[in-house]
Amino acid sequence: MQHIAYHDPVLCEETLNVLITDPNGIYVDGTLGGGGHASALLTHLSKSAKVFGIDQDDDALRAASKRINDNRFSTVKGNFGYMDVLLPSSLQGRVNGILLDIGVSSHQIDQGTRGFSFREDGPLDMRMDPRNPLSAAIVVNNYDPAELTRILFTYGEERFSRKITETIVARRPVETTAELRQAVESVIRGPHVNKSLARVFQAIRIEVNQELEMLTMALHKSVKLLAEGGRIAVMSYHSLEDRLVKHFFRAGNADGVVEKDFYGNDIRPLNPVKPALITPSEQEIARNPRARSARLRVAEKPAEVSA
Ligand SMILES: C[S@@+](CC[C@H](N)C(=O)[O-])C[C@H]1O[C@@H](n2cnc3c(N)ncnc32)[C@H](O)[C@@H]1O
């Protein structure tokens, strides 16, 4: 049997405390993973509540279905960027809470065959959804060098992105995670190499899975799905994603600039819930190092907003 290692859900109590506004309500976990948050959520809800768990990864859906045996719970396969069409249309404007715990799961990282980890040798894959036509191998081997440099610099915040790209291009075809690792190690030497490896792998993963685009789409869709007074909680692990969420919660767009209506009133599809930012305690980080960079933000759909 396959070993399923899903770790502790990050900021679990903190998230549920702010997300649940109605224990009889309808909730959507857009990043089901191993079902850690979803199973905790179910324990806080009444018998008449409903929880829909979305994930684009079959392994995650299998693990969560095995863990959660509850007739209030249903799984949905797909990308949360399309959650409005994945969920029954009757849910539009009726969802009380949406949770997004974005990024990869520890389970995905630990499986060498998925290609997410520089610590395991495997194919250059990194697709969360196996139906995705774009893989890490395509990004690494087929992208124009200027585009690859931009990805490593923007999504990975890697200072040596140009030099790393030159080395990758000279070594093409780069076919495995070990070969990509060796390319990075030939540029960055010494104690900082693991940080650069993490940045390069993260940047390519964000591109392969179009993570910023899908998050933007999901934020827009959440406005349509939420009931008045309903809330969305987003946990991100990367400064670009966190900035996007902060801007969207403030202004309803990725730029964070509040638009005005004809009468000069602010147009805000969501209102940020205070505290604006929740981060894990020292104890949680000691227990679960993956939680270290987690940043949780929550927003509420105000009354009388037409989505
Ligand atoms: C950090 S894990 C979630 C862990 C989960 N909260 C738990 O407690 O077990 C993120 C999960 O979201 C999924 N995921 C990431 N981006 C997604 C997207 N755009 N659409 C659907 N699922 C996505 C991944 O496949 C992964 O299983």
Side-chain angles (χ1 to χ4, degrees), residues 9 14 24 57 60 78 103 250 304:
E14 292 88 338
N24 307 311
D57 183 342
R250 183 198 299 150
E304 291 172 49

Side-chain angles (χ1 to χ4, degrees), residues 205-264:
R205 190 202 86 209
I206 289 176
E207 172 65 14
V208 167
N209 297 288
Q210 302 283 295
E211 294 181 28
L212 295 171
E213 292 80 356
M214 291 306 149
L215 175 58
T216 307
M217 278 171 60
L219 293 171
H220 282 285
K221 304 291 172 70
S222 70
V223 177
K224 284 209 245 168
L225 283 168
L226 285 175
E228 290 180 2
R231 292 183 168 189
I232 172 165
V234 184
M235 241 172 286
S236 57
Y237 299 84
H238 185 288
S239 58
L240 281 178
E241 290 162 346
D242 182 53
R243 195 172 325 137
L244 179 59
V245 173
K246 183 170 84 175
H247 286 174
F248 193 90
F249 284 1
R250 183 198 299 150
N253 58 57
D255 303 325
V257 180
V258 181
E259 290 180 18
K260 307 266 184 200
D261 68 10
F262 181 74
Y263 303 101

Side-chain angles (χ1 to χ4, degrees), residues 6-10 29-38 54-57 60 67 78-81 99 101-106 108 114 128-129 209-211 214-215 235 237 290:
Y6 282 96
H7 294 208
D8 278 357
V10 173
D29 181 346
T31 49
L32 184 61
H37 284 103
I54 302 173
D55 207 295
Q56 56 182 339
D57 183 342
R67 176 175 190 165
N79 194 305
F80 60 53
L99 168 64
D101 173 17
I102 50 192
V104 273
S105 65
S106 341
Q108 287 164 333
R114 303 292 299 267
M128 289 190 215
D129 181 345
N209 297 288
Q210 302 283 295
E211 294 181 28
M214 291 306 149
L215 175 58
M235 241 172 286
Y237 299 84
R290 198 184 97 74

